Amino acid sequence: MKRRALIAANWKMHKTSSEAKTFVASLAPRLTQIKDRDVLLCPPFPLIFHVDEARKDTNILLGAQNMYFEEKGAFTGEVSPIMLRDLHCEFVILGHSERRWVFGESDESINKKALAAVNSNLIPVLCVGEKLEEREKNQTEHVILNQLDKGMSGIPESAVSSLVVAYEPVWAIGTGKNASTADAKNAIVLIREFVHSKFGNALAEKIRILYGGSVKPENMKSYMDQEGIDGALIGGASLDVDSFFKMVSY
Ligand code: 13P
């Protein structure tokens, strides 16, 4: 089954509002010819409003990079799913390795976030991936399956079909050391098999699975040529609009 490709930019903690607006103004007219894939921008929280304004009348999709799982309350510094919906976000990245390993997020809290996102009609982009030492100890499959099992626990079948999973090996993020296409493909096959075993074939065929980790214009097509890789989650190389557009139009 042919799934619609999804090319997603994770801007992490980069850009000011004027830089974000300039980026979208430059990207949007170039996207008018590209109708067969989805393009998602995930700016930091303070830029979401500006990107939403700038993307009006375009097909650009909007997502956040994180959120808290409660709807509201005394949670200083946090942002709720309702707030993200209010800003017209459609997606939210959850369980990014920087959230897991820099900010200490657990599988349990990521799962609570995924359930809260789905409850608020946000589509989670659930990130999974092994660290270098885990890969060296041959624990890659175990780590990925464990993160999926815990992260997706309790997600209703109705939400699984639109869910996005991103395989992002931690050692490949921001290092310039991208995973080989074979490694990326193997991990993505494993993820789809997991979804198959838990939710059945129809949902396994629908769910979109992305690769992320040092994706650049030069290697984008080699990933997209792999059966089962439905798109990319791109950090550093998504910050420059020319570079990002090259990857969108791989
Ligand atoms: P880089 O593309 O900078 O390696 O980052 C990948 C990533 O973490 C996307 O979420």
Side-chain angles (χ1 to χ4, degrees):
M1 181 184 153
K2 187 84 189 114
R3 289 167 294 272
R4 200 172 156 81
L6 172 61
I7 319 302
N10 174 8
W11 284 353
K12 306 192 179 182
M13 198 174 70
H14 289 283
K15 293 193 187 295
T16 61
S17 57
S18 66
E19 287 167 351
K21 285 187 253 185
T22 305
F23 183 106
V24 178
S26 172
L27 179 66
R30 305 190 220 185
L31 294 180
T32 51
Q33 301 101 335
I34 299 187
K35 301 204 187 312
D36 62 345
R37 59 202 73 171
D38 289 335
V39 176
L40 167 64
L41 299 182
C42 299
F45 292 132
L47 305 185
I48 289 175
F49 171 82
H50 300 284
V51 170
D52 186 42
E53 290 281 294
R55 73 167 176 150
K56 292 233 152 61
D57 304 320
T58 76
N59 292 328
I60 295 172
L61 298 166
L62 183 59
Q65 300 171 14
N66 183 28
M67 56 166 232
Y68 194 53
F69 50 79
E70 296 286 356
E71 289 187 354
K72 59 183 167 183
F75 302 105
T76 301
E78 294 294 334
V79 168
S80 79
I82 291 175
M83 294 169 186
L84 296 182
R85 286 301 305 168
D86 189 44
L87 290 170
H88 308 136
C89 283
E90 292 112 6
F91 290 79
V92 59
I93 299 173
L94 295 175
H96 190 278
S97 69
E98 286 145 20
R99 298 303 317 169
R100 292 178 190 266
W101 306 121
V102 183
F103 297 101
E105 286 194 17
S106 64
D107 286 310
E108 289 68 29
S109 74
I110 293 161
N111 177 242
K112 283 185 183 169
K113 292 179 180 199
L115 296 175
V118 162
N119 267 335
S120 289
N121 282 328
L122 286 161
I123 299 173
V125 179
L126 178 67
C127 300
V128 297
E130 80 288 0
K131 294 195 273 191
L132 184 59
E133 60 264 35
E134 293 164 336
R135 167 160 286 254
E136 285 169 347
K137 288 189 209 146
N138 284 326
Q139 293 171 344
T140 299
E141 293 196 359
H142 171 76
V143 169
I144 293 172
L145 292 175
N146 189 46
Q147 289 175 343
L148 284 174
D149 195 38
K150 293 192 170 143
M152 289 178 69
S153 172
I155 296 193
E157 287 192 6
S158 57
V160 172
S161 63
S162 56
L163 188 85
V164 179
V165 175
Y167 169 59
E168 297 207 313
V170 181
W171 47 271
I173 296 178
T175 57
K177 287 189 210 146
N178 54 302
S180 70
T181 48
D183 283 344
K185 186 181 170 174
N186 289 343
I188 282 172
V189 166
L190 180 77
I191 294 167
R192 205 173 299 285
E193 280 171 2
F194 170 87
V195 178
H196 189 169
S197 70
K198 276 253 154 172
F199 299 97
N201 189 47
L203 290 177
E205 285 298 315
K206 275 197 181 150
I207 196 166
R208 289 189 287 187
I209 309 177
L210 316 181
Y211 168 73
S214 297
V215 176
K216 303 185 253 310
E218 305 81 62
N219 59 28
M220 177 74 181
K221 189 168 179 329
S222 66
Y223 291 110
M224 296 309 292
D225 282 346
Q226 303 300 310
E227 168 94 38
I229 300 188
D230 302 318
L233 180 56
I234 308 160
S238 76
L239 294 172
D240 175 79
V241 68
D242 293 334
S243 153
F244 183 59
F245 182 69
K246 278 190 195 142
M247 292 180 285
V248 167
S249 51
Y250 61 89

